[in-house]
Amino acid sequence: MNALFNKLILLCATLAFVASTVTVAGARDLDTINVSYVKSPFNLQIMVMKSTGMLEKTFAKDNIKINWVEINSGAKQSQALAAGSLDIASVINTTSVLLANAGGNPVKIIGGVSHPCETFAIVVRSDGPQTVAELKGKTVAGPKGTVLHQMLAVALAKEGLKESDVKFVHMGLPKARTALLAGQVDAALLAASLVIKSEEAGARVLTTAKGLVQPILVSAASQDFIVKHPDLVARYLKTFRQAMKFIDADPEKAIAIGAKEHGISIQDAHTLYNWAGFTTHLSAADIVSMREDMVFLQDNNMIKTAVDPASVCMPAAFME
């Protein structure tokens, strides 16, 4: 592992040199950067950047506008990156990145965002299953190909069950919550404020991701965009880290921004803040975790071609 990080340090230095040699004129060959706006589970860095106009200020001198695009699904963000309609995925889970690369879509991780273990949960109604084992034969709603999907599969496996032992219905988070509360499904895979709001509506958490999977949320971009605009990527990351410093310097102000964006109380926002596990970079442990995720994806026939997690990470993703 030390050898790996020595190589990463060298690559980081190379990347920094390349970025520093790109002229401002090179940055002006586009007038808009399309960035996904992902609030859930509680991506406070992104909410702060958008609310304060921090990213817009970073690129204003080059007359480059920021177009925030609301896409929550990791799979849809990957598709948008491939199509060129999205330049930077502000928050995407590493499972989606691995799936994209295995499918021939070179999405690269440029930075870390968070490790929100307690934020992801399987939620049931008050009169629903009491244990994960009792999900057998039941209908579960949630987004396929995500860390939530993986959490469900691992939770079932611990009980000696397979995913085929439940009826898993692909559904976005808000719709999954609505379906659960309406009694249309028996359980829903939810995150962050949707978990809290569901509990307030009488539902309860069956289990969280803690002890099951290690969610890793990251920022990413297409390989093509990174090659063409390394300077813009570097400046995005610098601004992201400025947002993190803003949060560290005045957490109450930042949490208030998050509460407003999620439409929740300050108290609930504090809970999500404490669950978030914010970071700005990846670690060696993250690579190990991603390799375990790769094995899971293969064992569950969700992926055919193995991908080395280290190969989908840009050197900058490891820089603190």
Side-chain angles (χ1 to χ4, degrees):
M1 192 59 68
N2 289 334
L4 170 63
F5 272 88
N6 287 336
K7 291 180 180 179
L8 287 173
I9 290 172
L10 178 60
L11 286 170
C12 287
T14 303
L15 182 67
F17 174 76
V18 171
S20 68
T21 57
V22 177
T23 63
V24 174
R28 288 176 178 161
D29 62 359
L30 80 169
D31 56 14
T32 303
I33 300 176
N34 297 305
V35 182
S36 62
Y37 184 52
V38 188
K39 295 186 293 184
S40 184
F42 197 65
N43 304 317
L44 198 51
Q45 307 100 315
I46 311 305
M47 291 186 281
V48 164
M49 277 204 295
K50 184 175 185 295
S51 177
T52 62
M54 197 176 286
L55 199 56
E56 285 81 355
K57 293 171 185 174
T58 293
F59 293 101
K61 65 180 181 180
D62 297 317
N63 295 318
I64 296 176
K65 297 180 179 179
I66 301 300
N67 178 37
W68 292 99
V69 185
E70 291 201 29
I71 311 177
N72 287 304
S73 163
K76 289 183 178 179
Q77 287 192 80
S78 295
Q79 292 167 5
L81 289 171
S85 57
L86 185 67
D87 298 314
I88 295 175
S90 66
V91 184
I92 186 171
N93 64 79
T94 50
T95 299
S96 292
V97 173
L98 292 173
L99 286 168
N101 282 274
N105 178 8
V107 173
K108 304 299 181 182
I109 295 172
I110 59 175
V113 175
S114 64
H115 299 91
C117 287
E118 296 184 80
T119 303
F120 295 95
I122 300 175
V123 181
V124 297
R125 293 187 302 280
S126 59
D127 60 349
Q130 296 296 313
T131 65
V132 172
E134 291 181 20
L135 288 175
K136 185 175 182 178
K138 300 294 194 294
T139 301
V140 182
K144 287 187 177 181
T146 65
V147 69
L148 281 164
H149 183 184
Q150 184 178 352
M151 174 187 68
L152 172 65
V154 173
L156 292 171
K158 286 189 70 173
E159 299 299 328
L161 300 174
K162 298 178 181 179
E163 189 179 315
S164 58
D165 287 319
V166 303
K167 182 181 179 181
F168 184 34
V169 181
H170 175 58
M171 200 176 291
L173 301 188
K175 289 184 178 179
R177 174 179 179 269
T178 298
L180 172 68
L181 297 180
Q184 298 169 348
V185 300
D186 301 295
L189 308 180
L190 302 178
S193 58
L194 291 180
V195 174
I196 291 175
K197 289 177 180 179
S198 297
E199 288 183 303
E200 291 172 347
R204 58 185 168 79
V205 171
L206 191 61
T207 184
T208 67
K210 191 172 183 178
L212 296 174
V213 295
Q214 172 60 69
I216 307 172
L217 300 185
V218 297
S219 296
S222 69
Q223 181 173 288
D224 182 64
F225 186 79
I226 293 169
V227 170
K228 290 181 179 178
H229 307 288
D231 57 320
L232 301 187
V233 173
R235 289 162 67 188
Y236 172 85
L237 290 174
K238 182 178 180 180
T239 307
F240 177 87
R241 291 185 171 103
Q242 287 174 348
M244 194 67 247
K245 290 179 180 178
F246 177 101
I247 295 168
D248 291 338
D250 195 344
E252 292 303 321
K253 185 174 182 179
I255 288 171
I257 290 172
K260 181 178 179 181
E261 287 296 296
H262 274 264
I264 57 178
S265 68
I266 293 294
Q267 181 179 351
D268 287 344
H270 266 280
T271 298
L272 294 180
Y273 173 83
N274 292 330
W275 286 353
F278 298 123
T279 187
T280 57
H281 59 281
L282 296 184
S283 68
D286 291 325
I287 298 298
V288 172
S289 180
M290 289 170 68
R291 289 199 172 110
E292 293 172 352
D293 294 342
M294 177 58 63
V295 172
F296 165 81
L297 293 172
Q298 288 182 292
D299 288 347
N300 286 271
N301 298 314
M302 295 172 66
I303 200 169
K304 292 183 179 180
T305 305
V307 175
D308 180 6
S311 71
V312 305
C313 302
M314 296 301 296
F318 296 91
M319 297 176 67
E320 297 186 29

